[in-house]
Amino acid sequence: RRNDMQFTLKQARNLKGLSRDKVSKEIKVDRSTIQNWETGKTSPNAKKFVALCNLYEISPCDIILP
């Protein structure tokens, strides 16, 4: 039912059961960067955003940035 639901970056990460540490290693950014994206302090660039979506197996259209 993911197709009819929108997720924040944190929700998408949690649904995949991934830690911030794991995500940061997978997409090659600092752990604090993931936290900043999830809290809305900063936003990922297009390349990292696509990498997150691929890692979370979710469409970019389903993500709402905080």
Side-chain angles (χ1 to χ4, degrees), residues 7-46:
F7 300 94
T8 65
L9 292 174
K10 184 176 181 178
Q11 289 170 325
R13 177 178 58 78
N14 287 335
L15 283 172
K16 291 301 290 182
L18 298 170
S19 68
R20 286 180 179 153
D21 288 330
K22 176 71 173 166
V23 173
S24 67
K25 289 175 184 171
E26 289 287 328
I27 65 169
K28 299 176 176 70
V29 297
D30 290 334
R31 182 188 178 280
S32 62
T33 300
I34 303 298
Q35 182 175 357
N36 288 340
W37 292 345
E38 291 181 353
T39 60
K41 186 173 183 181
T42 60
S43 295
N45 65 27

Side-chain angles (χ1 to χ4, degrees), residues 44-56:
N45 65 27
K47 185 176 180 178
K48 295 299 184 184
F49 181 69
V50 170
L52 286 171
C53 291
N54 289 336
L55 183 61
Y56 300 157

